[in-house]
């Protein structure tokens, strides 16, 4: 399915795999990340995450030099882990690999086993293999959530003298792909409105979008407690949100196979259909009615769809970014009467074409959209010039094309570093979809006004 080899990417539509790992580790309480490789990788990732979330981000590095590259990085990793354990006193340390450590073939799993024997009092370590020449930030994120569950679920020995978290028994295990902290807070509100016992992993709703501190915290408060992840084997059910990812990236699949916890999946709850589906699954699992307020929000969204129809029907749109985000946006623009002419992602997994092909063709489309994966902005530019869409929806990396072609870009996904408020961008649920719809309509209206010879008057 891949369009071409990674070697030829020109301005790729993806960031690096350990970036996703570092992001997911931010959703575990008191977890500190170490990247096994050169310092530049940690710096690049910190820079990207800070410019998107506008929060302080600490990521340690095993800090390779020339000798490490030749003789291996075991000693460096040991030193990095011990330093981090001493300076941060974390509950968990997450270790992501980089291109360099993967290329020289460091066996991090073996190094971790040796370290645990040597230092039995060390906190739990979660290694995850994240070579960037093989994946994207999305893959790194999902692999890390899965690795955290595999490393911790059912491992009660990590609790030491502490009691197991009994409150986690019978909880629903909820897993999300990369969404904004504000959308994550919406998911938590839904679970609270339904009075459901849940464990959300990861939970970076506070760590990547927190309040002001009066005292400095080496690790921001918030995140899924390790004890809750350990007790996931006792969950009543799991629910995975996002696209149909490979089994090995899916923590719910693992919990089902290893511990018999029933698992369900639905796409990100964006738009009417997928939000209905999400709420129905929760209602079935919990046996509880969806509160009336949700029905009212749904009704308002349908009303907004009909109000927006005259502005949006048949407008051509290009969507790009991570698989789950592109899938969710595709469903939404189809519901609101737009014509998605091109969907692309930097991910090379084959998931996006299969997913979009299964969704009924939008009413406004005269032909199926072009779906490209392992795609870069170099290729996208000529295609977009040819397709002449009315709008592009995706991350800030599309800015150059937008500037060159004059096609407006609505920023969603990751990274959004040339606009403010990325951590609070909403698209999940009826309200989030309505907020995104408002933004789409306003971009289309603004574009029409700015291109009009007579401007705009209101009598
Ligand atoms: S070398 Fe690899 S892991 Fe490091 S920043 Fe570059 S792509 Fe990411």
């Amino acid at each position: 399915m891949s369009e071409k080899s990674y070697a030829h990417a020109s301005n790729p539509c993806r960031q690096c795999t350990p970036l996703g790992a570092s992001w997911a580790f931010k959703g575990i309480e008191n977890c500190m990340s170490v990247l096994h490789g050169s310092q530049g990788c940690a710096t690049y990732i910190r820079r990207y995450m800070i410019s998107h979330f506008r929060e302080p981000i600490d990521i340690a590095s095993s800090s390779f030099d020339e000798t490490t590259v030749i003789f291996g990085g075991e000693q460096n990793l040991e030193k990095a882990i011990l330093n981090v354990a001493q300076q941060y006193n974390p509950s968990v340390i997450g270790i992501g690999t980089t291109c360099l450590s993967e290329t020289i073939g460091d066996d991090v799993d073996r190094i971790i086993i040796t370290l645990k024997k040597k230092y039995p009092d060390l906190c739990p370590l979660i290694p995850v293999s994240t070579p960037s020449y093989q994946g994207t930030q999305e893959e790194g994120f999902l692999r890390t959530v899965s690795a955290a569950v595999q490393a911790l679920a059912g491992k009660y020995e990590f609790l030491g003298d502490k009691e197991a978290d009994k409150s986690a028994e019978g909880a629903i295990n909820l897993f999300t792909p990369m969404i904004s902290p504000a959308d994550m807070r919406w998911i938590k509100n839904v679970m609270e409105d339904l009075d459901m016992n849940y464990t959300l992993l990861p939970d970076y709703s506070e760590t990547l979008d927190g309040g002001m501190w009066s005292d400095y915290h080496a690790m921001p408060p918030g995140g899924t407690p390790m004890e809750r992840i350990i007790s996931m084997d006792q969950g009543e059910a799991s629910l995975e949100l996002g696209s149909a990812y490979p089994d090995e990236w899916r923590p719910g699949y693992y919990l089902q196979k290893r511990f018999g916890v029933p698992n369900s999946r639905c796409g990100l709850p964006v738009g009417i259909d997928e939000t209905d589906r999400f709420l129905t699954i929760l209602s079935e699992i919990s046996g509880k009615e969806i509160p009336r307020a949700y029905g009212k929000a749904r009704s308002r969204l349908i009303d907004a769809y009909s109000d927006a129809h005259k502005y949006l029907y048949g407008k051509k749109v290009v969507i790009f970014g991570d698989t789950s985000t592109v899938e969710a946006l595709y469903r939404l623009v189809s519901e609101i009467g737009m014509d998605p002419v091109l969907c692309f992602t930097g991910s090379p997994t084959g998931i996006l074409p299969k997913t979009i092909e299964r969704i009924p063709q939008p009413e406004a489309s005269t032909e199926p959209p072009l779906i490209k994966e392992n795609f870069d902005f170099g290729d996208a530019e000529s295609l977009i010039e040819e397709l002449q869409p009315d709008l592009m929806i995706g991350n800030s990396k599309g800015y150059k094309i937008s500037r060159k072609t004059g096609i407006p870009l609505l920023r969603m996904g990751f990274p959004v570093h040339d606009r403010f408020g990325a951590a609070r961008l909403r698209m999940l649920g009826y309200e989030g979809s309505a907020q995104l719809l408002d933004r789409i309509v306003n971009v289309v209206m603004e574009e029409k006004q700015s291109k009009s010879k007579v401007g705009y008057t209101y009598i």
Side-chain angles (χ1 to χ4, degrees), residues 116-226:
K116 279 183 181 162
K117 280 189 193 146
K118 204 166 160 190
Y119 306 100
D121 292 337
L122 258 183
C123 66
L125 307 175
I126 306 173
V128 55
S129 169
T130 47
S132 211
Y133 43 76
Q134 263 180 17
T136 63
Q137 75 272 16
E138 182 177 28
E139 180 174 338
F141 182 99
L142 296 160
R143 278 188 184 279
T144 299
V145 178
S146 212
V149 171
Q150 291 183 37
L152 298 175
K155 307 273 175 65
Y156 292 91
E157 62 272 23
F158 286 137
L159 293 174
D161 299 336
K162 277 202 226 158
E163 287 279 306
D165 185 350
K166 296 270 181 221
S167 70
E169 285 175 18
I172 171 167
N173 304 315
L174 209 49
F175 301 104
T176 76
M178 293 175 293
I179 55 175
S180 75
D183 272 339
M184 192 159 258
R185 288 193 286 273
W186 175 79
I187 291 179
K188 292 168 76 172
N189 285 341
V190 173
M191 303 308 284
E192 274 146 34
D193 285 349
L194 286 170
D195 197 21
M196 285 178 81
N197 184 5
Y198 69 96
T199 303
L200 174 66
L201 183 70
D203 177 3
Y204 46 81
S205 57
E206 304 297 324
T207 56
L208 291 178
D209 189 26
M212 283 290 288
W213 302 336
S214 44
D215 300 310
Y216 173 72
H217 297 271
M219 284 176 292
T224 315
M226 180 181 76

Side-chain angles (χ1 to χ4, degrees), residues 16-18 40-41 44-45 97-100 130 132-133:
C16 81
T17 316
C41 301
Y44 160 77
I45 289 169
T97 54
T98 62
C99 299
L100 190 50
T130 47
S132 211
Y133 43 76

Side-chain angles (χ1 to χ4, degrees), residues 217-442:
H217 297 271
M219 284 176 292
T224 315
M226 180 181 76
E227 295 75 13
R228 295 290 296 202
I229 309 174
I230 289 174
S231 301
M232 278 184 159
D233 65 323
Q234 300 297 316
E236 184 186 342
S238 301
L239 173 57
E240 299 168 327
L241 301 182
S243 295
Y245 295 116
D247 293 344
E248 57 181 317
W249 303 1
R250 296 174 49 199
Y253 174 82
Y254 170 79
L255 288 169
Q256 182 164 36
K257 219 172 129 208
R258 174 78 178 77
F259 300 108
V261 181
N263 185 37
S264 318
R265 186 192 69 78
C266 73
L268 282 173
V270 176
I272 296 286
D273 284 351
E274 221 52 21
T275 307
D276 286 356
R277 208 163 147 228
F278 171 63
L279 294 175
T280 304
I281 293 173
L282 291 182
S283 175
E284 282 168 4
I285 293 173
S286 65
K288 290 178 181 156
E289 293 275 315
I290 303 296
R292 282 191 62 213
Y294 286 80
K296 289 185 178 176
R298 184 182 192 276
S299 177
R300 276 194 297 274
L301 179 59
I302 293 173
D303 184 50
Y305 278 11
S306 88
D307 293 342
H309 196 257
K310 64 182 173 190
Y311 301 108
L312 300 183
Y313 189 80
K315 293 278 183 214
K316 291 198 285 182
V317 58
V318 168
I319 304 163
F320 58 90
D322 300 318
T323 314
S324 281
T325 306
V326 173
E327 178 189 339
L329 291 171
Y330 180 82
R331 289 182 189 277
L332 181 77
V333 299
S334 305
E335 281 186 3
I336 61 182
M338 298 184 85
D339 177 11
V341 287
L342 168 65
C343 299
F344 68 94
T345 179
S347 174
T349 53
I351 303 166
L352 188 68
K354 277 191 219 146
T355 306
I356 302 272
E357 276 159 16
R358 275 200 294 265
I359 302 171
Q361 188 174 312
E363 196 193 309
S365 301
T366 47
E367 45 190 278
L370 292 168
I371 305 161
K372 304 282 183 185
E373 61 166 19
N374 194 11
F375 212 52
D376 60 47
F377 289 100
D379 294 324
E381 187 176 315
S382 49
L383 204 47
I384 288 172
E385 276 174 341
E386 199 181 302
L387 291 165
Q388 283 298 306
D390 299 284
L391 177 65
M392 294 161 45
I393 307 179
N395 56 58
S396 295
K397 294 296 212 177
Y399 169 71
K400 276 189 188 165
I401 298 181
S402 170
R403 185 173 163 90
K404 188 169 175 200
T405 58
I407 296 159
L409 169 66
L410 183 78
R411 285 145 178 93
M412 284 302 287
F414 179 89
V416 175
H417 46 209
D418 66 336
R419 287 292 182 274
F420 188 72
R424 291 174 292 282
L425 287 177
R426 290 287 320 275
M427 67 172 182
L428 261 54
Y430 304 124
E431 294 96 338
S433 303
Q435 287 181 22
L436 179 55
L437 173 71
D438 293 346
R439 292 178 66 212
I440 293 173
V441 176
N442 286 333

